[in-house]
């Protein structure tokens, strides 16, 4: 039996680049932290559906060029269900629902509650779908950070449950599912190919819908609206995922997702600078609390059982508090070229 095809073969694997994975995830978070303020700017002259769907249609051009430049092969049949979840979650779900929440009166600060809850939701999806088993200390640190961020966002702009709140909650679930499946797919192919193929696969829906919305919603293009739309199309819908999905794949979905606890504070900072929303001592206090919780999540143990998307492969990983690594792979090695 050949070594490559053996379902029982066991081989040592190189230590995953946990540190670089966290740095990549942090870069993705930095890019995403501008998304809500940029969307608010775009809404000054554009329909919310045009922003939510059109940003993916515009990003498809970049994705197609990137895939053609390397002559990338289409995803395997076994990967299509995962791509369907990515398309539903991050191509349609989060962009449309979060934009509708802003259009229904939620401020950029209030909408930060979504990204405040995303790390916990993504970790839960990681447990259910990707086989990750965070420790009790990890959950406690994550819950503490989520509580800090959620409470801060609610104090700054929330009230009773409204239609905007429902849109935000639905956007949260959509993003968490899309992030988890994208992180799993990024174990078998580079993260940039995951988002590129997701955009291309969604193009038969996003491109015609965008054309119809451009013709019927009477958009008002100004320098500000074009800048806002351009940012969410090029960075939020595409380039940010280069770093984000690769970070999830390298550091683990549950662990890397906790870096996103810093995103609400960054979003509030940009909202104050670019949208003139007030920033006071509460913001600084919340930032310190969030960073402490993020640091704690990175020092806890996480056990992974990675279910390969293409074959009977299982990897068991233990990372110590110092980031030391031990693990073996059973079965086929994923193609990461």
């Amino acid at each position: 039996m050949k070594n490559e095809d053996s379902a029982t073969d066991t081989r040592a694997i190189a230590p995953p680049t946990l540190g670089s994975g966290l740095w990549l995830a942090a870069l993705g978070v930095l890019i995403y932290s501008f998304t809500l303020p940029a969307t608010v700017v775009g809404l000054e002259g554009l329909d919310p559906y045009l922003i939510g769907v059109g940003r993916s249609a515009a990003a498809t051009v970049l994705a197609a060029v990137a895939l053609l430049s390397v002559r990338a092969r289409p995803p395997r049949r076994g990967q299509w269900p995962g791509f369907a979840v990515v398309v539903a979650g991050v191509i349609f779900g989060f962009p449309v629902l979060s934009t509708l929440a802003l259009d229904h009166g939620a401020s950029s600060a209030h909408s930060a509650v979504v990204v405040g809850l995303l790390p916990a939701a993504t970790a839960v999806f990681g447990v259910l779908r990707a086989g990750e088993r965070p420790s009790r200390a990890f959950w406690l640190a994550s819950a503490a950070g989520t509580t800090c961020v959620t409470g801060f966002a609610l104090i700054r702009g929330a009230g009773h449950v409204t239609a905007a709140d429902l849109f935000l909650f639905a956007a949260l679930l959509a993003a968490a599912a899309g992030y988890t499946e994208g992180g799993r797919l990024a174990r078998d192919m580079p993260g940039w190919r995951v988002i590129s193929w997701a955009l291309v696969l969604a193009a038969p829906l996003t491109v015609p819908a965008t054309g119809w919305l451009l013709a019927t919603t009477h958009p008002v293009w100004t320098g500000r609206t074009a800048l806002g739309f351009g940012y969410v199309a090029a960075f939020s819908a595409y380039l940010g995922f280069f770093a984000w999905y690769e970070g999830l794949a390298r550091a683990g979905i549950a662990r890397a997702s906790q870096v996103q606890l810093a995103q609400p504070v960054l979003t509030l900072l940009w909202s104050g600078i670019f949208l003139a929303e007030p920033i006071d001592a509460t913001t600084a206090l919340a930032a310190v609390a969030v960073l402490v919780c993020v640091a704690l999540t990175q020092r806890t143990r996480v056990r992974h059982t990675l279910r390969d998307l293409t074959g009977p492969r299982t990897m068991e990983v233990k990372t110590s508090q110092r980031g030391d690594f031990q693990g073996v792979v059973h079965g086929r090695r994923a193609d990461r070229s």
Side-chain angles (χ1 to χ4, degrees):
M1 184 178 292
K2 293 182 179 181
N3 188 55
E4 296 88 22
D5 298 326
S6 174
T8 59
D9 176 49
T10 299
R11 62 171 66 87
I13 62 176
T17 50
L18 177 62
S20 66
L22 294 177
W23 278 110
L24 286 168
L27 176 59
V29 166
L30 177 62
I31 293 173
Y32 294 149
S33 67
F34 289 94
T35 299
L36 292 174
T39 302
V40 170
V41 171
L43 283 170
E44 293 176 1
L46 304 179
D47 180 83
Y49 289 101
L50 177 58
I51 296 176
V53 178
R55 74 182 212 172
S56 296
T60 300
V61 177
L62 301 176
V65 171
L67 292 172
L68 288 173
S69 68
V70 298
R71 298 181 180 180
R73 290 178 295 179
R76 297 185 298 274
R77 181 176 299 178
Q79 295 172 325
W80 282 62
F83 273 103
V85 176
V86 173
V87 168
V90 303
I91 304 300
F92 289 103
F94 183 82
V96 173
L97 292 168
S98 60
T99 305
L100 286 174
L102 292 168
D103 188 60
H104 278 70
S107 66
S108 179
H110 174 68
S111 298
V113 71
V114 174
V115 288
L117 292 173
L118 261 178
T122 304
V124 170
F125 274 91
V127 168
L128 297 177
R129 188 69 180 94
E132 299 191 1
R133 296 294 182 268
S135 66
R136 181 178 299 179
F138 179 93
W139 286 116
L140 290 174
S142 176
T146 301
T147 300
C148 291
V149 172
T150 302
F152 177 56
L154 291 173
I155 291 172
R156 287 297 302 269
H160 300 292
V161 175
T162 63
D165 293 314
L166 296 178
F167 282 130
L168 290 171
F169 182 72
L172 158 71
L173 297 179
Y179 286 170
T180 301
E181 289 302 317
R184 293 181 71 245
L185 289 166
R187 292 167 180 164
D188 287 337
M189 67 177 68
W192 73 266
R193 292 197 187 188
V194 174
I195 189 59
S196 295
W197 278 118
L199 288 165
V200 169
L201 292 172
L205 296 176
T206 58
V207 173
T210 299
W212 181 79
L213 289 166
L214 284 170
T216 59
T217 59
H218 308 293
V220 178
W221 294 100
T222 65
R224 280 175 58 86
T225 57
L227 181 62
F229 180 83
Y231 185 89
V232 296
F235 291 93
S236 303
Y238 190 51
L239 296 177
F241 284 97
F242 281 43
W244 180 240
Y245 276 155
E246 195 67 25
L248 290 176
R250 293 189 185 189
I253 294 171
R255 186 185 294 274
S257 67
Q258 301 312 296
V259 179
Q260 204 170 30
L261 284 168
Q263 186 172 330
V265 177
L266 290 173
T267 297
L268 288 166
L269 177 62
W270 312 141
S271 298
I273 295 174
F274 299 110
L275 303 178
E277 293 188 4
I279 299 176
D280 51 24
T282 305
T283 302
L285 183 62
V288 172
V290 168
L291 292 177
V292 169
C293 293
V294 171
L296 290 175
T297 62
Q298 307 315 319
R299 293 183 61 83
T300 57
R301 289 180 181 269
V302 180
R303 181 183 179 86
H304 307 267
T305 301
L306 305 185
R307 301 184 181 91
D308 195 350
L309 296 172
T310 59
R313 185 182 71 126
T314 300
M315 179 170 77
E316 293 185 359
V317 179
K318 280 188 176 181
T319 49
S320 70
Q321 291 183 354
R322 299 187 306 274
D324 299 330
F325 170 89
Q326 291 180 334
V328 294
V329 170
H330 309 279
R332 286 184 304 203
R333 182 175 301 185
D335 179 13
R336 292 275 300 158
S337 61

